Amino acid sequence: MSAEGGTKAIVAALAANTGIAISKFVAAAITGSASMLAEGVHSVADAANQVLLLIGGKASRKAASPAHPFGYGRERYIYAFIVSIVLFSIGGVYALYEGWHKLQDTGHGLESPLVAVVVLLVAITLESFSLRTAVKESNAVRGKQSWVQFIKGSRSPELPVILLEDIGALVGLVLALLGVGLTWITHNGLFDALGTMSIGVLLVCIAVVLAIEIRSMLIGESATAEDIAAIEGAIKQDGTSALIHLKTLHVGPDELLVAAKVGIDRSETGAQVAAEIDAAEARIRAAVPKAKLIYIEPDIRRTGA
């Protein structure tokens, strides 16, 4: 569900940002607004982000190979990391540069500011629909988690990236609207410049947050607490095996590696041990379907184990 929901949210955001970017560049050319130009670059960056996420999703579905025996699930993390570091940072740094450049010449207002205001209001409407889709798809998988917990605890990068993108886009549009509106009223380009620089700071902050979260995914995160509890319960369910220790690792957003050591009675035969391990694996897969790679090591049960 997370992959399907993430793809739907990505496509919705890509469609919105492509149209918005074109309208922003047209408005920037007509009005001379630095805020509009920065927002146009922001929308291009967002659209490129979504293309990268789609490419990463497709690449992650390649079959495992001898060189990559656990598959290519982490491709989704790699492309999400590129999104957070490169494109968001480029958009943010460009906006800061454009705002600083505008600060050197703030003595005049804007040409046809009404065009910019109309474009920004339309963009806010379209971005709101994109955010609505991301929120709807996220609600289907986040359960009772708060939004902060969902973004920090998600093992799938697409939905958190799109959520932060859309939130950042809406906040950026409001900042641009304030900059353009105040410049229109006062005929002072200082407000347009400050709005542009505010957009840059916003994008860089979002890039930092995403980089921290996706870095954790790249290093390798364990299963969620709920999945770990379900796996432990599945192993102990029949009462014949004692769990000595358990380690889990996400080799991809929807693929979990489970490694466990279980204690068995010294008197059990090899056939009995093999049957218990097979049964435990079946129970784990039933309890946590994403547990596709399971390795269970038997050990002699010690006193008090």
Side-chain angles (χ1 to χ4, degrees):
M1 182 179 291
S2 61
E4 181 182 351
T7 300
K8 186 175 180 179
I10 293 169
V11 172
L14 176 59
N17 281 312
T18 300
I20 290 171
I22 295 171
S23 63
K24 286 176 180 176
F25 281 127
V26 172
I30 294 173
T31 64
S33 168
S35 293
M36 288 302 302
L37 185 58
E39 272 297 303
V41 173
H42 179 183
S43 291
V44 169
D46 282 353
N49 292 347
Q50 283 118 36
V51 171
L52 280 174
L53 291 175
L54 290 172
I55 292 173
K58 182 177 180 180
S60 71
R61 293 191 289 272
K62 289 188 294 185
S65 66
H68 298 90
F70 293 121
Y72 293 82
R74 289 196 178 184
E75 290 272 19
R76 287 164 66 183
Y77 298 150
I78 295 292
Y79 280 89
F81 194 73
I82 294 172
V83 165
S84 65
I85 292 295
V86 180
L87 292 176
F88 261 132
S89 296
I90 287 175
V93 170
Y94 177 81
L96 288 171
Y97 166 78
E98 187 64 27
W100 175 257
H101 181 72
K102 186 72 173 181
L103 279 175
Q104 313 309 309
D105 181 21
T106 61
H108 57 80
L110 303 174
E111 299 292 333
S112 305
L114 181 60
V115 174
V117 171
V118 171
V119 168
L120 288 169
L121 290 175
V122 171
I124 288 173
T125 301
L126 293 176
E127 287 288 0
S128 297
F129 280 112
S130 177
L131 178 59
R132 178 177 176 274
T133 300
V135 169
K136 179 181 177 182
E137 299 302 328
S138 298
N139 280 333
V141 296
R142 76 183 179 99
K144 296 181 180 179
Q145 298 177 90
S146 68
W147 286 108
V148 173
Q149 290 172 331
F150 173 69
I151 291 172
K152 290 180 65 66
S154 176
R155 302 305 193 259
S156 178
E158 290 86 0
L159 285 173
V161 167
I162 294 298
L163 275 171
L164 289 178
E165 265 192 1
D166 287 347
I167 292 170
L170 278 173
V171 174
L173 287 167
V174 171
L175 292 172
L177 186 61
L178 286 173
V180 169
L182 289 173
T183 298
W184 186 7
I185 294 170
T186 63
H187 301 286
N188 186 343
L190 173 64
F191 296 106
D192 187 38
L194 292 177
T196 306
M197 296 188 74
S198 298
I199 293 167
V201 171
L202 172 69
L203 291 178
V204 171
C205 289
I206 291 175
V208 170
V209 171
L210 282 176
I212 290 171
E213 294 305 319
I214 298 172
R215 170 183 172 273
S216 179
M217 296 179 190
L218 278 171
I219 291 172
E221 292 187 333
S222 67
T224 63
E226 293 80 4
D227 284 344
I228 290 175
I231 293 168
E232 290 177 347
I235 292 174
K236 299 174 182 177
Q237 184 175 320
D238 67 349
T240 60
S241 300
L243 180 61
I244 298 173
H245 69 70
L246 171 69
K247 293 186 183 297
T248 62
L249 178 70
H250 269 274
V251 296
D254 303 315
E255 192 166 8
L256 186 65
L257 184 151
V258 177
K261 178 177 280 191
V262 298
I264 60 172
D265 290 332
R266 188 182 299 272
S267 61
E268 291 187 78
T269 65
Q272 288 174 319
V273 172
E276 288 178 16
I277 289 175
D278 289 343
E281 289 180 353
R283 293 195 301 271
I284 291 170
R285 289 192 172 93
V288 183
K290 69 178 68 172
K292 304 212 167 77
L293 303 164
I294 303 174
Y295 300 96
I296 299 179
E297 177 187 357
D299 197 359
I300 300 300
R301 194 196 306 255
R302 270 73 169 182
T303 303

